[in-house]
Amino acid sequence: MFFVDKPYLSDFFKNTLKDNCIPVVATESAKGLDLYPGTKTISEEAAIEMAQANEDLVIYTTSENAIGWIAQHLSFSSLPEKIELFKNKLTFRKLIQPLFPDFYFREVRADDLDAVSLNEIPRPFIIKPAVGFFSMGVYMITNPEDWVEAIAAIRVEMEQIKDLYPAEVLDAGSFIIEQCIHGEEFAVDTYYDAAGEAVVVGIYKHAFSSESDVSDRVYLSSKEIIENNLAEFTEFAGKIGRLAGVRNFPVHIELRRDSNGNLLPIEVNPMRFGGWCTTADMTSLAYGFNPYLAYYTQTRPDWPEILKGKDDKLYSIVVLDNSTGITGEKITSFDYQQLLADFEKPLELRKIDYKTYPVFAFLFTETRQDNFKELEHILDSDLRDYVSTT
């Protein structure tokens, strides 16, 4: 059974539900998300009964907002505990410590941020909410000035977004400080099947504008990226899955490969693929392969067949987060037409209510590899050229 919740549900996902008769739990949130007529729904009571009857039920959530429902109503099962292993970044670091015994991390309560002594922490380091989402409250610290600025920015940012997500998704009460992981960054959609085996259904390389960039602006997929990393990432995901003991469990893994070729996990997001229906939808747009359906039916992708004819193409997710420095309330319009004109082959544009969420849109594009400059442009942009203000 699948759970749907705010902040976003794509048309592609809605069609996947309806066309394949995938049961959707009829929570209050689900009832307000305009599911297509003919979508199979089940009551909350029926969902609980299904979970009681089958410990290894196939469950997927479009949004981590649904984790609260699972924690409340499925507490008799092991699922809430498995989710917590991944969702809480401190718990996750402790889980994988046998694999990475030298990795530095520590917890800091929000009220204690001012008392932290930088002399005790190897720099550079990253600070982020212990329970977080979407690069919110994430900062890289290289010197004392960065620290002062980060604390001030975190408090402003957390105040601005405190009512957007439940505590199960974003909790600003506790932060994790951890060593900075250098190297190429990737996002990997994976599910663990009924036997606990890892099945990779999408790989994206996270592009950055600079060494200090921690934004989510551009994620790239290509035949080369998938072929070069598939076997290694599958093995890596398998090690984490065996530590956690998960089965029928989808995850969105963020990891980095350092200069020595070692893979290190940044975080593992439970019960979903990329948030806001992004990476799995893009995989379908790019390669004609549906990760949601693959997980539901326990199907393994035939990557050699899927990647035929995909040479020299880049498929990108462009996250147009509000990096203008201007609050959404003061912005009167965003020039979506100009945005589309700046790309050679837009595949889909998803406009977001930027006055409610700090995101203007998600753009899915196809780019020739020799035209990477159009992606460099959006990576370097603060997006001010696209907005008008009062």
Side-chain angles (χ1 to χ4, degrees):
M1 60 188 178
F2 281 27
F3 289 84
V4 296
D5 210 315
K6 296 178 180 180
Y8 184 82
L9 201 62
S10 70
D11 291 338
F12 174 74
F13 187 82
K14 291 179 184 180
N15 275 316
T16 298
L17 295 174
K18 179 179 71 69
D19 294 346
N20 297 282
C21 295
I22 299 173
V24 180
V25 182
T27 62
E28 285 303 311
S29 294
K31 294 172 184 177
L33 288 172
D34 298 321
L35 295 173
Y36 292 154
T39 300
K40 181 180 180 180
T41 59
I42 59 174
S43 69
E44 294 178 89
E45 292 75 17
I48 294 169
E49 290 175 1
M50 288 172 63
Q52 288 172 331
N54 185 359
E55 175 71 16
D56 294 322
L57 196 64
V58 172
I59 296 177
Y60 183 89
T61 67
T62 59
S63 165
E64 292 181 9
N65 288 7
I67 289 175
W69 189 98
I70 293 173
Q72 179 181 353
H73 296 284
L74 304 186
S75 58
F76 56 83
S77 74
S78 63
L79 188 57
E81 179 185 354
K82 299 299 185 185
I83 291 172
E84 179 69 9
L85 284 176
F86 295 107
K87 185 56 190 170
N88 187 304
K89 295 174 176 60
L90 285 158
T91 306
F92 175 66
R93 286 294 172 205
K94 294 173 183 177
L95 169 72
I96 63 172
Q97 202 163 23
L99 298 177
F100 309 96
D102 298 325
F103 188 87
Y104 177 87
F105 67 94
R106 60 178 283 192
E107 178 183 13
V108 179
R109 299 294 304 172
D111 294 340
D112 298 330
L113 287 173
D114 288 319
V116 171
S117 172
L118 294 191
N119 294 329
E120 301 173 356
I121 306 172
R123 285 179 269 165
F125 64 84
I126 297 290
I127 181 170
K128 55 188 175 183
V131 178
F133 177 65
F134 206 43
S135 291
M136 294 175 179
V138 180
Y139 293 89
M140 179 186 292
I141 309 299
T142 59
N143 56 57
E145 292 75 20
D146 288 344
W147 181 247
V148 173
E149 293 174 3
I151 291 177
I154 284 171
R155 286 176 174 151
V156 171
E157 188 175 5
M158 293 299 105
E159 179 65 26
Q160 290 174 340
I161 62 179
K162 65 180 181 180
D163 297 324
L164 290 182
Y165 302 97
E168 292 85 3
V169 177
L170 179 66
D171 184 356
S174 179
F175 287 77
I176 182 172
I177 289 175
E178 60 184 33
Q179 73 179 62
C180 188
I181 304 172
H182 297 284
E184 293 182 308
E185 182 173 320
F186 297 87
V188 187
D189 285 336
T190 303
Y191 74 82
Y192 298 98
D193 65 15
E197 295 296 317
V199 180
V200 172
V201 293
I203 299 176
Y204 290 82
K205 184 176 181 180
H206 192 174
F208 295 97
S209 62
S210 67
E211 279 290 321
S212 60
D213 184 12
V214 294
S215 72
D216 284 323
R217 179 59 53 84
V218 174
Y219 288 85
L220 308 164
S221 184
S222 69
K223 177 181 179 180
E224 181 181 12
I225 288 171
I226 292 173
E227 288 182 338
N228 289 349
N229 298 289
L230 181 60
E232 188 179 13
F233 289 178
T234 301
E235 180 183 3
F236 180 81
K239 291 178 181 178
I240 293 175
R242 285 188 289 275
L243 276 179
V246 288
R247 298 188 304 274
N248 290 339
F249 198 92
V251 292
H252 180 72
I253 302 172
E254 297 177 13
L255 59 87
R256 281 196 169 184
R257 181 187 287 111
D258 67 19
S259 57
N260 296 318
N262 301 312
L263 296 181
L264 293 166
I266 300 171
E267 60 188 44
V268 178
N269 299 286
M271 300 308 298
R272 63 170 175 85
F273 301 135
W276 291 69
C277 296
T278 49
T279 52
D281 285 32
M282 183 72 237
T283 295
S284 182
L285 274 173
Y287 305 115
F289 167 74
N290 189 330
Y292 306 117
L293 192 57
Y295 168 56
Y296 182 67
T297 61
Q298 302 279 286
T299 303
R300 291 174 175 264
D302 183 354
W303 283 114
E305 184 65 27
I306 290 168
L307 296 175
K308 285 182 178 178
K310 299 299 181 180
D311 302 88
D312 303 320
K313 294 179 180 179
L314 294 172
Y315 296 99
S316 304
I317 302 167
V318 182
V319 183
L320 296 152
D321 56 306
N322 187 351
S323 55
T324 63
I326 307 168
T327 61
E329 292 76 16
K330 295 182 179 179
I331 296 174
T332 55
S333 65
F334 186 94
D335 194 341
Y336 294 104
Q337 289 304 117
Q338 181 57 54
L339 173 75
L340 292 172
D342 287 341
F343 292 86
E344 66 176 39
K345 191 175 180 180
L347 300 176
E348 184 176 339
L349 174 67
R350 297 177 176 175
K351 299 178 184 179
I352 304 298
D353 180 2
Y354 55 81
K355 293 186 183 295
T356 300
Y357 297 99
V359 185
F360 295 111
F362 293 90
L363 177 65
F364 298 163
T365 72
E366 179 183 315
T367 307
R368 290 171 290 114
Q369 287 189 352
D370 60 7
N371 189 30
F372 189 76
K373 63 180 182 294
E374 76 173 13
L375 298 173
E376 289 179 332
H377 168 74
I378 202 68
L379 270 171
D380 293 333
S381 175
D382 61 9
L383 306 184
R384 281 176 172 258
D385 291 343
Y386 298 104
V387 303
S388 299
T389 60
T390 54

